[in-house]
């Protein structure tokens, strides 16, 4: 399948049961976890450049409350640190299919809440606009941005990797929707190369758009080492592939549909990301951190001693947030009719997996400064 990600990929819009807005607690927790680093970047950028109007961009904002959560963090810092004459221009970026309407409808209520929390007199004047387009390419004029933020986005690729078929058109990743540890080395290499090309393009584009001394705070899912751990995307997506293959065996889904479906996502190793940043030579790496977050965004426990019902709930919780981000891709390839059945099977598979071992996402935090 030649997947045109810009035309297909978007989080499920609206505020319904399966929407991203209702199933983005995992991403919300990461924004709260990293807000101190974002605050430092805001202050350091302001103190270095003292712009009359500071331009901040949230790349991959989606349509739920998380984009406005980032905005509220920035405005709280601005209220405490900016001079009375500074204004803030905030751009919300995502792919064209994003539910910008839902996002913008929430701005009025957001402003009222923020005025109550910060105080109307302390709130820095700010302006919000949407920018539709892929961040794997230019979005803004040269040297026009002071700070970029992106959370839970850079593990998405610009496209499903090329090179996943033989010269005769035979799928190399047959029966899988992502690369696997037991699969062909060519498949893993194709994913690695696609990520390297995409991330390099991302860095070059942002370097051109940032003012000298501008900064980026990037948060995304990866893996600690070259060899995947038990909580990495290899296993999370592998369980989704198993659910699809169970439907193939029952004649619900055509086998060729699975054989030609490859997710446009990649959990890079920490070494891969550092290597690309270093080789591009465009940014100084101010801070780099790795932290973990449970697959189940509602799991706040450190131990594994819970009842079976807990794992059933966890399976459903994981399936809900994966559906909120994967549904448009799945529907594009397989149709909408399988969605409920597929994610029920997926929830069951995740529950069984979590019964055997606790699974955590590995999350990267990089704070970068543009070189002169």
């Amino acid at each position: 399948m030649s997947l045109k990600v810009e035309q297909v990929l978007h989080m499920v819009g609206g505020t319904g049961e399966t929407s991203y807005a209702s199933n983005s607690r995992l991403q919300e927790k990461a924004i709260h976890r990293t807000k101190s680093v974002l605050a430092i970047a805001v202050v350091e950028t302001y103190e270095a450049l003292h712009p009359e109007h500071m331009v901040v961009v949230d790349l991959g904002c989606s349509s739920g409350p998380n984009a406005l959560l980032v905005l509220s963090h920035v405005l709280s810092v601005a209220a405490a640190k900016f001079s009375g004459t500074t204004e803030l221009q905030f751009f919300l970026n995502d792919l064209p299919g994003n539910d910008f309407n839902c996002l913008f409808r929430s701005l009025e209520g957001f402003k009222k809440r923020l005025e109550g929390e910060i105080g109307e007199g302390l709130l820095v004047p700010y302006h919000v606009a949407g920018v539709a387009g892929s961040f794997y390419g230019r979005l803004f004029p040269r040297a026009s941005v002071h700070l970029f933020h992106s959370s839970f986005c850079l593990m998405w690729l610009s496209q499903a990797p090329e090179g996943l078929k033989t010269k005769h058109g035979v799928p190399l990743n047959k029966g899988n929707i992502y690369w696997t540890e037991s699969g062909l080395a060519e498949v893993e290499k194709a994913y690695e190369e696609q990520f390297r090309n995409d991330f390099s393009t991302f860095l070059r584009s942002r370097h051109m758009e940032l003012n000298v001394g501008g900064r980026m705070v990037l948060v995304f899912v990866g893996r600690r080492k070259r060899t995947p751990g038990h909580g990495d995307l290899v296993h999370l997506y592998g369980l989704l592939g198993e659910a699809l293959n169970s439907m193939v065996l029952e004649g619900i889904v055509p086998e060729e549909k699975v054989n030609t479906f490859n997710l446009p996502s990649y959990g890079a190793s920490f070494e891969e990301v550092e290597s690309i940043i270093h080789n591009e030579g465009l940014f100084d790496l101010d801070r780099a951190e790795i932290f973990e977050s449970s697959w189940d965004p509602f799991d706040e426990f450190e131990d594994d001693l819970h009842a079976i019902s807990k794992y059933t709930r966890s399976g459903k919780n994981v399936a809900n947030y994966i559906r909120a981000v994967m549904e448009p891709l799945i529907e594009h390839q397989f149709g909408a009719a399988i969605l409920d059945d597929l994610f029920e099977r997926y929830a069951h598979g995740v529950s069984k997996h979590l019964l055997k071992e606790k699974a955590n996402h590995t999350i990267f935090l990089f704070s970068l400064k543009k070189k002169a």
Side-chain angles (χ1 to χ4, degrees):
M1 178 180 63
S2 178
L3 185 60
K4 297 179 180 179
V5 169
E6 286 189 52
Q7 297 177 6
V8 179
L9 179 62
H10 59 85
M11 307 300 100
V12 175
T15 57
E17 184 179 347
T18 63
S19 69
Y20 179 80
S22 300
N23 296 283
S24 53
R25 179 174 166 80
L26 176 69
Q27 295 85 345
E28 177 189 1
K29 289 167 68 176
I31 292 171
H32 282 300
R33 175 78 178 261
T34 58
K35 70 177 183 179
S36 61
V37 175
L38 175 61
I40 291 170
V42 172
V43 172
E44 289 180 346
T45 302
Y46 175 75
E47 292 180 345
L49 303 176
H50 289 285
E52 290 185 6
H53 65 279
M54 186 168 174
V55 177
V56 179
V57 180
D58 190 28
L59 298 167
C61 64
S62 193
S63 60
N66 290 343
L68 302 184
L69 179 60
V70 173
L71 175 55
S72 70
H73 289 333
V74 173
L75 286 169
S76 295
V77 176
K81 299 293 184 179
F82 287 15
S83 71
T85 59
T86 304
E87 296 189 4
L88 182 71
Q89 174 69 66
F90 204 87
F91 287 106
L92 301 172
N93 157 257
D94 213 314
L95 294 174
N98 184 56
D99 191 352
F100 285 104
N101 287 336
C102 182
L103 182 57
F104 290 135
R105 281 196 297 268
S106 65
L107 282 174
E108 184 177 357
F110 166 78
K111 184 179 181 180
K112 291 179 180 179
R113 289 194 301 274
L114 204 62
E115 288 173 346
E117 293 171 5
I118 297 177
E120 185 175 355
L122 298 175
L123 194 61
V124 173
Y126 69 97
H127 314 277
V128 182
V131 178
S134 172
F135 52 53
Y136 292 124
R138 291 287 302 280
L139 291 166
F140 300 94
R142 186 185 298 270
S144 64
V145 177
H146 300 104
L147 176 65
F148 282 109
H149 172 270
S150 180
S151 185
F152 269 68
C153 298
L154 283 164
M155 64 279 193
W156 289 105
L157 303 173
S158 66
Q159 63 179 48
E162 296 180 349
L164 295 181
K165 292 181 181 179
T166 68
K167 61 182 180 180
H168 301 295
V170 178
L172 293 174
N173 203 26
K174 184 177 180 180
N176 300 307
I177 63 173
Y178 187 60
W179 73 274
T180 65
E181 294 175 272
S182 60
L184 295 174
E186 292 92 332
V187 175
E188 182 182 1
K189 182 179 179 182
Y191 271 97
E192 289 176 354
E193 289 181 352
Q194 187 65 54
F195 176 80
R196 178 172 292 276
N197 291 338
D198 282 344
F199 191 50
S200 294
T201 298
F202 175 88
L203 293 175
R204 294 169 194 162
S205 299
R206 303 294 80 78
H207 183 265
M208 294 182 72
E209 295 165 349
L210 274 172
N211 207 299
V212 174
R215 287 164 168 79
M216 293 199 295
V217 176
L218 310 176
V219 182
F220 55 102
V221 176
R223 64 185 191 272
R224 287 183 179 272
K225 301 177 181 178
R226 296 286 301 176
T227 303
H230 63 262
D232 291 328
L233 295 183
V234 166
H235 303 286
L236 185 74
Y237 294 158
L239 292 168
L240 184 58
E242 289 178 12
L244 279 167
N245 280 311
S246 72
M247 300 179 80
V248 169
L249 292 175
E250 295 176 25
I252 301 170
V253 171
E255 184 178 9
E256 61 270 19
K257 287 281 189 178
V258 175
N259 292 341
T260 56
F261 182 66
N262 295 287
L263 289 174
S265 178
Y266 180 66
S269 69
F270 189 79
E271 292 81 1
E272 285 178 280
V273 178
E274 272 198 321
S275 173
I276 296 168
I277 294 171
H278 176 75
N279 289 341
E280 289 297 324
L282 302 173
F283 293 91
D284 291 320
L285 181 55
D286 281 349
R287 297 171 182 83
E289 298 178 14
I290 304 176
F291 61 95
E292 293 189 342
S293 187
S294 174
W295 275 13
D296 179 1
F298 295 94
D299 177 15
E300 306 294 345
F301 299 96
E302 296 296 329
D303 61 84
D304 300 329
L305 302 176
H306 301 288
I308 296 295
S309 60
K310 183 269 180 187
Y311 294 102
T312 300
R313 288 196 304 272
S314 288
K316 290 179 179 177
N317 291 339
V318 174
N320 285 343
Y321 80 75
I322 292 296
R323 178 171 182 170
V325 301
M326 290 290 183
E327 181 174 303
L329 294 172
I330 300 291
E331 183 175 348
H332 176 77
Q333 177 73 353
F334 302 100
I338 74 162
L339 290 171
D340 290 343
D341 187 3
L342 171 63
F343 284 100
E344 285 180 11
R345 294 170 188 247
Y346 182 52
H348 180 68
V350 171
S351 298
K352 290 174 62 178
H353 182 80
L354 295 178
L355 270 171
K356 294 185 292 184
E357 55 189 5
K358 187 177 178 68
N360 293 325
H361 290 290
T362 298
I363 302 172
F364 299 155
L365 167 62
F366 290 95
S367 181
L368 306 175
K369 178 183 176 183
K370 178 179 175 175
K371 291 184 177 180

